[in-house]
Amino acid sequence: MTGTTDFYARQASTKGNDPETVVVSAALTGALTTRKQCPAIPYTPAEIAEEAAAAREAGAAVAHIHARTDEGAPTFDVDTYQEIHDEVRERTDIVLNFSTGAIETPLEDRLEYVQSVGPEIAALNMGSMNYAKYSDAREEYVFDMIFENPFSEIRDLLAGMNEASVTPELECFDTSHVGNTRPLLEEGVLERPFHASLIMGVLGGIPATVENLVHQVRQLPEDCTWQVIGIGRDQWPLVAAALSMGGNVRVGLEDNFYRPSGEMAESNADLVADAVELARQVGREPAAPDEAREILGVER
């Protein structure tokens, strides 16, 4: 193991990550995925908690969660998020990460549940963009939206997270989003080291290629931690590349339904298990939740 550790420790791309261990996050639900697309998508707080516990057993250290109604619609209801928090905590010690992303939902609604419930991490989108999906087979857009995340909202969300002692996870869909950290650092509302998610493969954001992943990582400060989030079936080549670069990875039914074999996953735990297998093949072990807290600078 020493030789492998030395290899990762020498990589400039490792940044603030741990060269021996990888933090695997599981994005359990998303806001747009439905059971018509994949029957395993969890909706209710109990279902989400069961998926979180199973993902933890498979090797995930972090559960990234969007709340849903029992019928599957996205919701920003404080009581629902509190129920999810409590149901997860009854079952597992996994790190809780709540999303704050939404289209046409007031800032106050997206901040209230973060401050009231107090997840350990909250995801924060770092810039505005086109957000779309195009079907080559149907030659049409499946959806086509504007994802608005102005600096004023980013700043207010960061200030609210700081007040509630919630660690921000910076969701960067393109190189400009990494650059958007500069004024926030200068203002002091964002502090180093921070944790960045490099999201690749959304139409309107940076394309999902290994070359682009290397470029994105080069833009990050030397002390920050990072993970890759590949959307769709491009996820697995990006996971493999990130693991070899010393990065952390996110998998789960929010981002991709399919295992490396091409089979549809029957649970989030299936995808986590595949990511853990890839990690071990390149000499890295999955972090337990407390190890992940230490790596990411999260206070429990």
Side-chain angles (χ1 to χ4, degrees):
M1 189 66 184
T2 302
T4 303
T5 302
D6 290 345
F7 171 81
Y8 289 112
R10 292 197 303 268
Q11 305 310 301
S13 55
T14 300
K15 304 285 183 176
N17 294 334
D18 189 296
E20 293 188 48
T21 60
V22 53
V23 177
V24 178
S25 295
L28 304 179
T29 57
L32 301 175
T33 52
T34 70
R35 286 180 180 161
K36 289 183 179 179
Q37 298 169 301
C38 177
I41 301 292
Y43 287 169
T44 69
E47 291 168 349
I48 290 170
E50 290 294 335
E51 284 289 295
R56 162 71 172 99
E57 288 301 309
V62 180
H64 174 74
I65 295 170
H66 294 248
R68 301 290 195 99
T69 66
D70 289 354
E71 294 73 37
T75 181
F76 302 90
D77 177 64
V78 174
D79 290 340
T80 303
Y81 269 105
Q82 185 66 60
E83 187 176 356
I84 290 170
H85 176 280
D86 295 345
E87 291 276 0
V88 172
R89 277 290 161 262
E90 286 182 6
R91 293 167 173 80
T92 180
D93 62 345
I94 200 166
V95 178
L96 274 168
N97 175 331
F98 286 172
S99 172
T100 64
I103 293 174
E104 298 182 349
T105 299
L107 170 69
E108 295 76 15
D109 292 351
R110 292 182 283 134
L111 187 55
E112 184 182 5
Y113 61 82
V114 171
Q115 291 192 302
S116 296
V117 179
E120 295 167 275
I121 299 174
L124 174 62
N125 297 295
M126 287 300 294
S128 300
M129 59 185 291
N130 290 326
Y131 194 98
K133 180 177 181 180
Y134 183 78
S135 170
D136 292 313
R138 288 152 46 183
E139 296 186 337
E140 65 180 12
Y141 290 90
V142 178
F143 56 82
D144 179 10
M145 300 175 284
I146 301 295
F147 196 19
E148 295 185 1
N149 297 287
F151 277 109
S152 58
E153 290 194 0
I154 295 171
R155 189 183 302 109
D156 287 347
L157 282 164
L158 275 171
M161 291 178 195
N162 291 340
E163 183 180 339
S165 299
V166 174
T167 299
E169 177 184 276
L170 309 187
E171 309 293 277
C172 301
F173 292 80
D174 213 335
T175 306
S176 61
H177 294 181
V178 178
N180 286 350
T181 61
R182 182 180 59 80
L184 302 169
L185 289 166
E186 291 182 0
E187 292 171 9
V189 71
L190 175 65
E191 296 182 356
R192 289 174 57 178
F194 57 77
H195 178 51
S197 290
L198 305 177
I199 304 169
M200 310 184 70
V202 172
L203 184 58
I206 196 165
T209 68
V210 173
E211 291 86 353
N212 282 340
L213 174 60
V214 173
H215 171 71
Q216 292 284 78
V217 172
R218 283 175 176 160
Q219 312 311 307
L220 297 171
E222 292 303 316
D223 57 354
C224 93
T225 55
W226 64 272
Q227 69 175 357
V228 73
I229 301 174
I231 304 301
R233 299 197 194 205
D234 291 327
Q235 181 177 82
W236 293 111
L238 292 174
V239 166
L243 290 169
S244 297
M245 293 166 63
N248 301 315
V249 298
R250 189 178 99 177
V251 295
L253 296 173
E254 172 177 348
D255 305 323
N256 167 50
F257 303 143
Y258 297 95
R259 306 182 71 173
S261 64
E263 298 175 287
M264 180 174 282
E266 295 183 1
S267 68
N268 283 284
D270 284 348
L271 300 171
V272 171
D274 290 332
V276 168
E277 181 180 359
L278 280 172
R280 286 176 169 150
Q281 287 175 350
V282 295
R284 300 179 70 197
E285 283 293 313
D290 281 345
E291 292 175 304
R293 292 180 178 99
E294 183 175 353
I295 292 166
L296 302 178
V298 174
E299 293 185 9
R300 189 169 186 178

